[in-house]
Amino acid sequence: MKYPRSPRILVAEDEKDSADILKEILGASGYEVDLAYDGEETLGKISSAFSTGSDTSENGSGYDLLILDIFMPHVSGSEILKKVKTDTRTRLLPVVMVTGLGEEKDKLEAIDAGCDDFLTKPFNFAELLTRVRSLIKMKFALDSLDSAENVIFSLARAIEAKDAYTQGHTERVSQMAVLVGERLKLGPEDADALFKGGILHDIGKIGVPDGVLNKPGKLDADEFKIIQTHPDIGARICGKLNSIKTAIPVIRYHHEKLDGTGYPDGLRGAAVPVTARIMAIVDVYDALTSTRPYRPAMPKERALSILNEESDRGWWDKEILIEFADIVNPMA
Ligand SMILES: [Fe+2]
């Protein structure tokens, strides 16, 4: 089978002889093989290969298959499997667990944790290559589906590029929102929502006429109503794509205020999802600290003090604002 690039396999195996044999057999079949000899090394290699924002379909940096010995020093194969299958960046990476004969209990646990296939030692190489081929085929099919996500990201950046004053806004907002999420110890799904929501939150502006979007003066009531449609349009554009489902609440609710005076739904208090509350604060901060046609960029202290006043008025989440202020202005 022809692949768009060489498939990359990570073999995590503490027995050096087994690891070397696997590398030789798989290498001879055209696969790029990387080896890890213990649990920590395995997690380190996976983490650097799947850093936030990169994926195999775009730049070939990730792995296409993990062959994982169930018994590994430091961090066991089962723990690694759980980590891989619960992290949104790696959950689509196929994992083949290598077990010895008679390890039925471990096998059941591995199936439960989302393992894709098993190999039993000693290896049957014909069986090994057949399984590897079928899982890699599946991984490449998933990558091509996932590139729909990249198309949407490109669209968001194209919209941003139309306006010289918002250059880099989505990247900055995305990165700051993820940092706030980490401070608040939110889970991997929320981190994914914040990263993607940061890039996509204003994608609905594609449905707003340029004359309204780039009007230098104050908007009249009708024009403001048109601007207010962008969260709903954005949520509908992205709503059909499974891989960016987590970001929909961020896109739809990033202009909501906790006192119910925001848009599009006028949600109040706890009804505003935490990811959208984070995005609202970060989005306003980035707008205030960026140059606009009608005013220069504000210093961060001034922007934070405006956000504080607005938080006292009941618009923003105070706890999130405290964490955010500590990130952007740690000396204060
Ligand atoms: Fe917006």
Side-chain angles (χ1 to χ4, degrees), residues 296-329:
M298 280 180 198
K300 59 185 174 186
E301 293 78 7
R302 176 80 190 113
L304 288 172
S305 113
I306 290 177
L307 278 164
N308 262 318
E309 284 161 27
E310 292 175 346
S311 164
D312 290 341
R313 215 182 296 163
W315 289 8
W316 318 127
D317 186 312
K318 277 188 192 301
E319 280 175 37
I320 294 175
L321 184 55
I322 289 169
E323 294 298 338
F324 176 66
D326 199 41
I327 291 171
V328 292
N329 203 15

PDB file of all heavy atoms in Angstrom, residues 296-329:
ATOM      1  N   PRO A 296      -4.561  53.617  20.419  1.00  0.00           N
ATOM      2  CA  PRO A 296      -3.344  52.799  20.536  1.00  0.00           C
ATOM      3  C   PRO A 296      -3.573  51.623  21.491  1.00  0.00           C
ATOM      4  O   PRO A 296      -4.587  51.596  22.202  1.00  0.00           O
ATOM      5  CB  PRO A 296      -2.321  53.780  21.126  1.00  0.00           C
ATOM      6  CG  PRO A 296      -3.134  54.807  21.844  1.00  0.00           C
ATOM      7  CD  PRO A 296      -4.467  54.885  21.175  1.00  0.00           C
ATOM      8  N   ALA A 297      -2.625  50.683  21.513  1.00  0.00           N
ATOM      9  CA  ALA A 297      -2.722  49.546  22.439  1.00  0.00           C
ATOM     10  C   ALA A 297      -2.597  50.046  23.878  1.00  0.00           C
ATOM     11  O   ALA A 297      -1.841  50.961  24.164  1.00  0.00           O
ATOM     12  CB  ALA A 297      -1.595  48.560  22.144  1.00  0.00           C
ATOM     13  N   MET A 298      -3.379  49.446  24.777  1.00  0.00           N
ATOM     14  CA  MET A 298      -3.288  49.847  26.198  1.00  0.00           C
ATOM     15  C   MET A 298      -2.196  49.056  26.891  1.00  0.00           C
ATOM     16  O   MET A 298      -1.976  47.889  26.555  1.00  0.00           O
ATOM     17  CB  MET A 298      -4.587  49.468  26.923  1.00  0.00           C
ATOM     18  CG  MET A 298      -5.690  50.421  26.717  1.00  0.00           C
ATOM     19  SD  MET A 298      -7.101  49.779  27.665  1.00  0.00           S
ATOM     20  CE  MET A 298      -8.383  50.698  26.853  1.00  0.00           C
ATOM     21  N   PRO A 299      -1.547  49.641  27.920  1.00  0.00           N
ATOM     22  CA  PRO A 299      -0.631  48.834  28.737  1.00  0.00           C
ATOM     23  C   PRO A 299      -1.423  47.767  29.498  1.00  0.00           C
ATOM     24  O   PRO A 299      -2.616  47.955  29.770  1.00  0.00           O
ATOM     25  CB  PRO A 299      -0.017  49.847  29.710  1.00  0.00           C
ATOM     26  CG  PRO A 299      -0.692  51.141  29.490  1.00  0.00           C
ATOM     27  CD  PRO A 299      -1.665  51.035  28.369  1.00  0.00           C
ATOM     28  N   LYS A 300      -0.743  46.655  29.842  1.00  0.00           N
ATOM     29  CA  LYS A 300      -1.482  45.536  30.455  1.00  0.00           C
ATOM     30  C   LYS A 300      -2.147  45.914  31.780  1.00  0.00           C
ATOM     31  O   LYS A 300      -3.242  45.437  32.083  1.00  0.00           O
ATOM     32  CB  LYS A 300      -0.585  44.304  30.612  1.00  0.00           C
ATOM     33  CG  LYS A 300       0.643  44.485  31.455  1.00  0.00           C
ATOM     34  CD  LYS A 300       1.473  43.214  31.410  1.00  0.00           C
ATOM     35  CE  LYS A 300       2.787  43.412  32.135  1.00  0.00           C
ATOM     36  NZ  LYS A 300       3.682  42.267  32.003  1.00  0.00           N
ATOM     37  N   GLU A 301      -1.487  46.808  32.547  1.00  0.00           N
ATOM     38  CA  GLU A 301      -2.061  47.197  33.842  1.00  0.00           C
ATOM     39  C   GLU A 301      -3.425  47.867  33.652  1.00  0.00           C
ATOM     40  O   GLU A 301      -4.369  47.610  34.389  1.00  0.00           O
ATOM     41  CB  GLU A 301      -1.139  48.164  34.596  1.00  0.00           C
ATOM     42  CG  GLU A 301       0.178  47.569  35.066  1.00  0.00           C
ATOM     43  CD  GLU A 301       1.222  47.445  33.958  1.00  0.00           C
ATOM     44  OE1 GLU A 301       0.977  47.943  32.830  1.00  0.00           O
ATOM     45  OE2 GLU A 301       2.276  46.833  34.215  1.00  0.00           O
ATOM     46  N   ARG A 302      -3.498  48.744  32.641  1.00  0.00           N
ATOM     47  CA  ARG A 302      -4.754  49.459  32.349  1.00  0.00           C
ATOM     48  C   ARG A 302      -5.837  48.464  31.899  1.00  0.00           C
ATOM     49  O   ARG A 302      -6.984  48.539  32.340  1.00  0.00           O
ATOM     50  CB  ARG A 302      -4.486  50.512  31.271  1.00  0.00           C
ATOM     51  CG  ARG A 302      -5.691  51.274  30.780  1.00  0.00           C
ATOM     52  CD  ARG A 302      -6.091  52.404  31.725  1.00  0.00           C
ATOM     53  NE  ARG A 302      -7.392  52.960  31.356  1.00  0.00           N
ATOM     54  CZ  ARG A 302      -8.491  52.850  32.098  1.00  0.00           C
ATOM     55  NH1 ARG A 302      -8.480  52.214  33.253  1.00  0.00           N
ATOM     56  NH2 ARG A 302      -9.627  53.379  31.696  1.00  0.00           N
ATOM     57  N   ALA A 303      -5.440  47.526  31.018  1.00  0.00           N
ATOM     58  CA  ALA A 303      -6.405  46.530  30.517  1.00  0.00           C
ATOM     59  C   ALA A 303      -6.935  45.684  31.677  1.00  0.00           C
ATOM     60  O   ALA A 303      -8.145  45.424  31.781  1.00  0.00           O
ATOM     61  CB  ALA A 303      -5.739  45.640  29.471  1.00  0.00           C
ATOM     62  N   LEU A 304      -6.043  45.285  32.585  1.00  0.00           N
ATOM     63  CA  LEU A 304      -6.482  44.464  33.725  1.00  0.00           C
ATOM     64  C   LEU A 304      -7.396  45.252  34.648  1.00  0.00           C
ATOM     65  O   LEU A 304      -8.353  44.709  35.204  1.00  0.00           O
ATOM     66  CB  LEU A 304      -5.269  43.928  34.499  1.00  0.00           C
ATOM     67  CG  LEU A 304      -4.469  42.820  33.793  1.00  0.00           C
ATOM     68  CD1 LEU A 304      -3.188  42.503  34.555  1.00  0.00           C
ATOM     69  CD2 LEU A 304      -5.316  41.554  33.626  1.00  0.00           C
ATOM     70  N   SER A 305      -7.111  46.568  34.784  1.00  0.00           N
ATOM     71  CA  SER A 305      -7.973  47.331  35.681  1.00  0.00           C
ATOM     72  C   SER A 305      -9.373  47.507  35.066  1.00  0.00           C
ATOM     73  O   SER A 305     -10.380  47.460  35.776  1.00  0.00           O
ATOM     74  CB  SER A 305      -7.280  48.645  36.088  1.00  0.00           C
ATOM     75  OG  SER A 305      -7.921  49.753  35.581  1.00  0.00           O
ATOM     76  N   ILE A 306      -9.452  47.644  33.736  1.00  0.00           N
ATOM     77  CA  ILE A 306     -10.784  47.688  33.093  1.00  0.00           C
ATOM     78  C   ILE A 306     -11.520  46.359  33.311  1.00  0.00           C
ATOM     79  O   ILE A 306     -12.703  46.328  33.666  1.00  0.00           O
ATOM     80  CB  ILE A 306     -10.643  48.002  31.584  1.00  0.00           C
ATOM     81  CG1 ILE A 306     -10.191  49.450  31.408  1.00  0.00           C
ATOM     82  CG2 ILE A 306     -11.944  47.731  30.829  1.00  0.00           C
ATOM     83  CD1 ILE A 306      -9.943  49.875  29.975  1.00  0.00           C
ATOM     84  N   LEU A 307     -10.791  45.255  33.123  1.00  0.00           N
ATOM     85  CA  LEU A 307     -11.420  43.940  33.328  1.00  0.00           C
ATOM     86  C   LEU A 307     -11.908  43.786  34.773  1.00  0.00           C
ATOM     87  O   LEU A 307     -12.970  43.218  35.022  1.00  0.00           O
ATOM     88  CB  LEU A 307     -10.435  42.819  32.979  1.00  0.00           C
ATOM     89  CG  LEU A 307     -10.324  42.489  31.489  1.00  0.00           C
ATOM     90  CD1 LEU A 307      -9.069  41.677  31.206  1.00  0.00           C
ATOM     91  CD2 LEU A 307     -11.547  41.717  30.996  1.00  0.00           C
ATOM     92  N   ASN A 308     -11.134  44.322  35.720  1.00  0.00           N
ATOM     93  CA  ASN A 308     -11.549  44.266  37.124  1.00  0.00           C
ATOM     94  C   ASN A 308     -12.830  45.049  37.365  1.00  0.00           C
ATOM     95  O   ASN A 308     -13.745  44.582  38.059  1.00  0.00           O
ATOM     96  CB  ASN A 308     -10.444  44.829  38.019  1.00  0.00           C
ATOM     97  CG  ASN A 308      -9.607  43.713  38.595  1.00  0.00           C
ATOM     98  OD1 ASN A 308     -10.152  42.679  39.006  1.00  0.00           O
ATOM     99  ND2 ASN A 308      -8.304  43.897  38.604  1.00  0.00           N
ATOM    100  N   GLU A 309     -12.880  46.269  36.788  1.00  0.00           N
ATOM    101  CA  GLU A 309     -14.104  47.085  36.939  1.00  0.00           C
ATOM    102  C   GLU A 309     -15.305  46.335  36.357  1.00  0.00           C
ATOM    103  O   GLU A 309     -16.391  46.307  36.949  1.00  0.00           O
ATOM    104  CB  GLU A 309     -13.960  48.414  36.191  1.00  0.00           C
ATOM    105  CG  GLU A 309     -13.071  49.430  36.895  1.00  0.00           C
ATOM    106  CD  GLU A 309     -12.596  50.526  35.927  1.00  0.00           C
ATOM    107  OE1 GLU A 309     -13.306  50.807  34.939  1.00  0.00           O
ATOM    108  OE2 GLU A 309     -11.502  51.070  36.176  1.00  0.00           O
ATOM    109  N   GLU A 310     -15.095  45.721  35.190  1.00  0.00           N
ATOM    110  CA  GLU A 310     -16.200  45.006  34.538  1.00  0.00           C
ATOM    111  C   GLU A 310     -16.600  43.759  35.328  1.00  0.00           C
ATOM    112  O   GLU A 310     -17.766  43.359  35.324  1.00  0.00           O
ATOM    113  CB  GLU A 310     -15.802  44.645  33.101  1.00  0.00           C
ATOM    114  CG  GLU A 310     -15.677  45.892  32.222  1.00  0.00           C
ATOM    115  CD  GLU A 310     -15.178  45.602  30.818  1.00  0.00           C
ATOM    116  OE1 GLU A 310     -14.667  44.501  30.567  1.00  0.00           O
ATOM    117  OE2 GLU A 310     -15.289  46.504  29.959  1.00  0.00           O
ATOM    118  N   SER A 311     -15.611  43.181  35.996  1.00  0.00           N
ATOM    119  CA  SER A 311     -15.901  42.006  36.825  1.00  0.00           C
ATOM    120  C   SER A 311     -16.739  42.438  38.045  1.00  0.00           C
ATOM    121  O   SER A 311     -17.688  41.746  38.441  1.00  0.00           O
ATOM    122  CB  SER A 311     -14.575  41.376  37.226  1.00  0.00           C
ATOM    123  OG  SER A 311     -14.733  40.511  38.268  1.00  0.00           O
ATOM    124  N   ASP A 312     -16.407  43.618  38.635  1.00  0.00           N
ATOM    125  CA  ASP A 312     -17.208  44.147  39.756  1.00  0.00           C
ATOM    126  C   ASP A 312     -18.638  44.441  39.310  1.00  0.00           C
ATOM    127  O   ASP A 312     -19.581  44.325  40.082  1.00  0.00           O
ATOM    128  CB  ASP A 312     -16.590  45.453  40.297  1.00  0.00           C
ATOM    129  CG  ASP A 312     -15.273  45.181  41.025  1.00  0.00           C
ATOM    130  OD1 ASP A 312     -15.054  44.014  41.413  1.00  0.00           O
ATOM    131  OD2 ASP A 312     -14.462  46.121  41.181  1.00  0.00           O
ATOM    132  N   ARG A 313     -18.781  44.813  38.046  1.00  0.00           N
ATOM    133  CA  ARG A 313     -20.108  45.090  37.501  1.00  0.00           C
ATOM    134  C   ARG A 313     -20.905  43.790  37.274  1.00  0.00           C
ATOM    135  O   ARG A 313     -22.070  43.815  36.906  1.00  0.00           O
ATOM    136  CB  ARG A 313     -19.925  45.824  36.162  1.00  0.00           C
ATOM    137  CG  ARG A 313     -20.984  46.868  35.878  1.00  0.00           C
ATOM    138  CD  ARG A 313     -20.765  47.499  34.526  1.00  0.00           C
ATOM    139  NE  ARG A 313     -19.509  48.238  34.418  1.00  0.00           N
ATOM    140  CZ  ARG A 313     -18.949  48.595  33.245  1.00  0.00           C
ATOM    141  NH1 ARG A 313     -19.500  48.244  32.109  1.00  0.00           N
ATOM    142  NH2 ARG A 313     -17.835  49.285  33.242  1.00  0.00           N
ATOM    143  N   GLY A 314     -20.221  42.654  37.402  1.00  0.00           N
ATOM    144  CA  GLY A 314     -20.916  41.367  37.260  1.00  0.00           C
ATOM    145  C   GLY A 314     -20.744  40.699  35.909  1.00  0.00           C
ATOM    146  O   GLY A 314     -21.449  39.748  35.580  1.00  0.00           O
ATOM    147  N   TRP A 315     -19.789  41.199  35.103  1.00  0.00           N
ATOM    148  CA  TRP A 315     -19.648  40.607  33.769  1.00  0.00           C
ATOM    149  C   TRP A 315     -18.789  39.350  33.760  1.00  0.00           C
ATOM    150  O   TRP A 315     -19.125  38.374  33.115  1.00  0.00           O
ATOM    151  CB  TRP A 315     -19.011  41.632  32.805  1.00  0.00           C
ATOM    152  CG  TRP A 315     -19.908  42.759  32.440  1.00  0.00           C
ATOM    153  CD1 TRP A 315     -21.135  43.057  32.965  1.00  0.00           C
ATOM    154  CD2 TRP A 315     -19.631  43.770  31.454  1.00  0.00           C
ATOM    155  NE1 TRP A 315     -21.648  44.178  32.383  1.00  0.00           N
ATOM    156  CE2 TRP A 315     -20.748  44.636  31.444  1.00  0.00           C
ATOM    157  CE3 TRP A 315     -18.569  44.038  30.598  1.00  0.00           C
ATOM    158  CZ2 TRP A 315     -20.822  45.741  30.589  1.00  0.00           C
ATOM    159  CZ3 TRP A 315     -18.635  45.130  29.745  1.00  0.00           C
ATOM    160  CH2 TRP A 315     -19.767  45.972  29.745  1.00  0.00           C
ATOM    161  N   TRP A 316     -17.613  39.414  34.436  1.00  0.00           N
ATOM    162  CA  TRP A 316     -16.632  38.320  34.297  1.00  0.00           C
ATOM    163  C   TRP A 316     -16.466  37.543  35.593  1.00  0.00           C
ATOM    164  O   TRP A 316     -16.746  38.052  36.682  1.00  0.00           O
ATOM    165  CB  TRP A 316     -15.256  38.872  33.849  1.00  0.00           C
ATOM    166  CG  TRP A 316     -15.295  39.922  32.789  1.00  0.00           C
ATOM    167  CD1 TRP A 316     -14.710  41.142  32.845  1.00  0.00           C
ATOM    168  CD2 TRP A 316     -15.934  39.856  31.503  1.00  0.00           C
ATOM    169  NE1 TRP A 316     -14.938  41.844  31.689  1.00  0.00           N
ATOM    170  CE2 TRP A 316     -15.691  41.083  30.847  1.00  0.00           C
ATOM    171  CE3 TRP A 316     -16.692  38.892  30.837  1.00  0.00           C
ATOM    172  CZ2 TRP A 316     -16.178  41.365  29.573  1.00  0.00           C
ATOM    173  CZ3 TRP A 316     -17.183  39.179  29.566  1.00  0.00           C
ATOM    174  CH2 TRP A 316     -16.923  40.389  28.953  1.00  0.00           C
ATOM    175  N   ASP A 317     -15.956  36.328  35.454  1.00  0.00           N
ATOM    176  CA  ASP A 317     -15.712  35.450  36.600  1.00  0.00           C
ATOM    177  C   ASP A 317     -14.465  35.930  37.355  1.00  0.00           C
ATOM    178  O   ASP A 317     -13.355  35.931  36.816  1.00  0.00           O
ATOM    179  CB  ASP A 317     -15.510  34.016  36.050  1.00  0.00           C
ATOM    180  CG  ASP A 317     -15.387  32.987  37.142  1.00  0.00           C
ATOM    181  OD1 ASP A 317     -14.618  33.217  38.092  1.00  0.00           O
ATOM    182  OD2 ASP A 317     -16.055  31.947  37.036  1.00  0.00           O
ATOM    183  N   LYS A 318     -14.668  36.329  38.613  1.00  0.00           N
ATOM    184  CA  LYS A 318     -13.559  36.931  39.387  1.00  0.00           C
ATOM    185  C   LYS A 318     -12.409  35.953  39.607  1.00  0.00           C
ATOM    186  O   LYS A 318     -11.238  36.324  39.503  1.00  0.00           O
ATOM    187  CB  LYS A 318     -14.071  37.405  40.749  1.00  0.00           C
ATOM    188  CG  LYS A 318     -14.733  38.769  40.700  1.00  0.00           C
ATOM    189  CD  LYS A 318     -15.021  39.248  42.118  1.00  0.00           C
ATOM    190  CE  LYS A 318     -15.936  40.456  42.139  1.00  0.00           C
ATOM    191  NZ  LYS A 318     -15.432  41.611  41.417  1.00  0.00           N
ATOM    192  N   GLU A 319     -12.745  34.705  39.935  1.00  0.00           N
ATOM    193  CA  GLU A 319     -11.665  33.731  40.205  1.00  0.00           C
ATOM    194  C   GLU A 319     -10.802  33.511  38.969  1.00  0.00           C
ATOM    195  O   GLU A 319      -9.576  33.443  39.055  1.00  0.00           O
ATOM    196  CB  GLU A 319     -12.265  32.392  40.637  1.00  0.00           C
ATOM    197  CG  GLU A 319     -12.677  32.409  42.088  1.00  0.00           C
ATOM    198  CD  GLU A 319     -13.379  31.121  42.483  1.00  0.00           C
ATOM    199  OE1 GLU A 319     -12.977  30.045  41.982  1.00  0.00           O
ATOM    200  OE2 GLU A 319     -14.322  31.204  43.270  1.00  0.00           O
ATOM    201  N   ILE A 320     -11.453  33.418  37.827  1.00  0.00           N
ATOM    202  CA  ILE A 320     -10.689  33.217  36.591  1.00  0.00           C
ATOM    203  C   ILE A 320      -9.838  34.454  36.301  1.00  0.00           C
ATOM    204  O   ILE A 320      -8.669  34.356  35.922  1.00  0.00           O
ATOM    205  CB  ILE A 320     -11.639  32.917  35.398  1.00  0.00           C
ATOM    206  CG1 ILE A 320     -12.323  31.570  35.624  1.00  0.00           C
ATOM    207  CG2 ILE A 320     -10.878  32.920  34.069  1.00  0.00           C
ATOM    208  CD1 ILE A 320     -13.362  31.206  34.590  1.00  0.00           C
ATOM    209  N   LEU A 321     -10.416  35.615  36.547  1.00  0.00           N
ATOM    210  CA  LEU A 321      -9.685  36.862  36.289  1.00  0.00           C
ATOM    211  C   LEU A 321      -8.433  36.962  37.179  1.00  0.00           C
ATOM    212  O   LEU A 321      -7.366  37.398  36.717  1.00  0.00           O
ATOM    213  CB  LEU A 321     -10.609  38.069  36.498  1.00  0.00           C
ATOM    214  CG  LEU A 321     -10.000  39.435  36.178  1.00  0.00           C
ATOM    215  CD1 LEU A 321      -9.444  39.499  34.754  1.00  0.00           C
ATOM    216  CD2 LEU A 321     -11.028  40.550  36.381  1.00  0.00           C
ATOM    217  N   ILE A 322      -8.550  36.524  38.424  1.00  0.00           N
ATOM    218  CA  ILE A 322      -7.382  36.550  39.327  1.00  0.00           C
ATOM    219  C   ILE A 322      -6.256  35.669  38.767  1.00  0.00           C
ATOM    220  O   ILE A 322      -5.099  36.064  38.689  1.00  0.00           O
ATOM    221  CB  ILE A 322      -7.782  36.091  40.754  1.00  0.00           C
ATOM    222  CG1 ILE A 322      -8.656  37.171  41.406  1.00  0.00           C
ATOM    223  CG2 ILE A 322      -6.549  35.799  41.612  1.00  0.00           C
ATOM    224  CD1 ILE A 322      -9.327  36.748  42.699  1.00  0.00           C
ATOM    225  N   GLU A 323      -6.618  34.466  38.349  1.00  0.00           N
ATOM    226  CA  GLU A 323      -5.604  33.554  37.775  1.00  0.00           C
ATOM    227  C   GLU A 323      -4.997  34.155  36.511  1.00  0.00           C
ATOM    228  O   GLU A 323      -3.789  34.110  36.289  1.00  0.00           O
ATOM    229  CB  GLU A 323      -6.227  32.184  37.428  1.00  0.00           C
ATOM    230  CG  GLU A 323      -6.692  31.386  38.618  1.00  0.00           C
ATOM    231  CD  GLU A 323      -5.558  31.015  39.570  1.00  0.00           C
ATOM    232  OE1 GLU A 323      -4.382  31.005  39.144  1.00  0.00           O
ATOM    233  OE2 GLU A 323      -5.839  30.757  40.755  1.00  0.00           O
ATOM    234  N   PHE A 324      -5.863  34.714  35.677  1.00  0.00           N
ATOM    235  CA  PHE A 324      -5.396  35.275  34.407  1.00  0.00           C
ATOM    236  C   PHE A 324      -4.435  36.440  34.658  1.00  0.00           C
ATOM    237  O   PHE A 324      -3.356  36.530  34.055  1.00  0.00           O
ATOM    238  CB  PHE A 324      -6.588  35.724  33.556  1.00  0.00           C
ATOM    239  CG  PHE A 324      -6.180  36.401  32.285  1.00  0.00           C
ATOM    240  CD1 PHE A 324      -5.513  35.696  31.285  1.00  0.00           C
ATOM    241  CD2 PHE A 324      -6.438  37.742  32.078  1.00  0.00           C
ATOM    242  CE1 PHE A 324      -5.106  36.320  30.119  1.00  0.00           C
ATOM    243  CE2 PHE A 324      -6.026  38.380  30.913  1.00  0.00           C
ATOM    244  CZ  PHE A 324      -5.371  37.665  29.928  1.00  0.00           C
ATOM    245  N   ALA A 325      -4.819  37.321  35.602  1.00  0.00           N
ATOM    246  CA  ALA A 325      -3.970  38.482  35.898  1.00  0.00           C
ATOM    247  C   ALA A 325      -2.613  38.027  36.401  1.00  0.00           C
ATOM    248  O   ALA A 325      -1.573  38.629  36.088  1.00  0.00           O
ATOM    249  CB  ALA A 325      -4.665  39.360  36.945  1.00  0.00           C
ATOM    250  N   ASP A 326      -2.603  36.924  37.163  1.00  0.00           N
ATOM    251  CA  ASP A 326      -1.347  36.410  37.689  1.00  0.00           C
ATOM    252  C   ASP A 326      -0.442  35.857  36.573  1.00  0.00           C
ATOM    253  O   ASP A 326       0.776  35.884  36.673  1.00  0.00           O
ATOM    254  CB  ASP A 326      -1.667  35.324  38.713  1.00  0.00           C
ATOM    255  CG  ASP A 326      -0.492  35.075  39.627  1.00  0.00           C
ATOM    256  OD1 ASP A 326       0.145  36.065  40.038  1.00  0.00           O
ATOM    257  OD2 ASP A 326      -0.190  33.902  39.911  1.00  0.00           O
ATOM    258  N   ILE A 327      -1.068  35.394  35.504  1.00  0.00           N
ATOM    259  CA  ILE A 327      -0.281  34.871  34.380  1.00  0.00           C
ATOM    260  C   ILE A 327       0.332  36.041  33.577  1.00  0.00           C
ATOM    261  O   ILE A 327       1.516  36.038  33.278  1.00  0.00           O
ATOM    262  CB  ILE A 327      -1.164  34.001  33.444  1.00  0.00           C
ATOM    263  CG1 ILE A 327      -1.558  32.705  34.156  1.00  0.00           C
ATOM    264  CG2 ILE A 327      -0.444  33.691  32.131  1.00  0.00           C
ATOM    265  CD1 ILE A 327      -2.600  31.875  33.422  1.00  0.00           C
ATOM    266  N   VAL A 328      -0.504  37.058  33.259  1.00  0.00           N
ATOM    267  CA  VAL A 328       0.007  38.130  32.388  1.00  0.00           C
ATOM    268  C   VAL A 328       0.806  39.181  33.156  1.00  0.00           C
ATOM    269  O   VAL A 328       1.621  39.898  32.575  1.00  0.00           O
ATOM    270  CB  VAL A 328      -1.113  38.824  31.561  1.00  0.00           C
ATOM    271  CG1 VAL A 328      -1.678  37.879  30.545  1.00  0.00           C
ATOM    272  CG2 VAL A 328      -2.194  39.398  32.436  1.00  0.00           C
ATOM    273  N   ASN A 329       0.560  39.304  34.476  1.00  0.00           N
ATOM    274  CA  ASN A 329       1.250  40.319  35.251  1.00  0.00           C
ATOM    275  C   ASN A 329       1.669  39.749  36.613  1.00  0.00           C
ATOM    276  O   ASN A 329       1.182  40.162  37.658  1.00  0.00           O
ATOM    277  CB  ASN A 329       0.285  41.513  35.439  1.00  0.00           C
ATOM    278  CG  ASN A 329       1.026  42.792  35.716  1.00  0.00           C
ATOM    279  OD1 ASN A 329       2.235  42.859  35.496  1.00  0.00           O
ATOM    280  ND2 ASN A 329       0.312  43.796  36.188  1.00  0.00           N
TER     281      ASN A 329
END
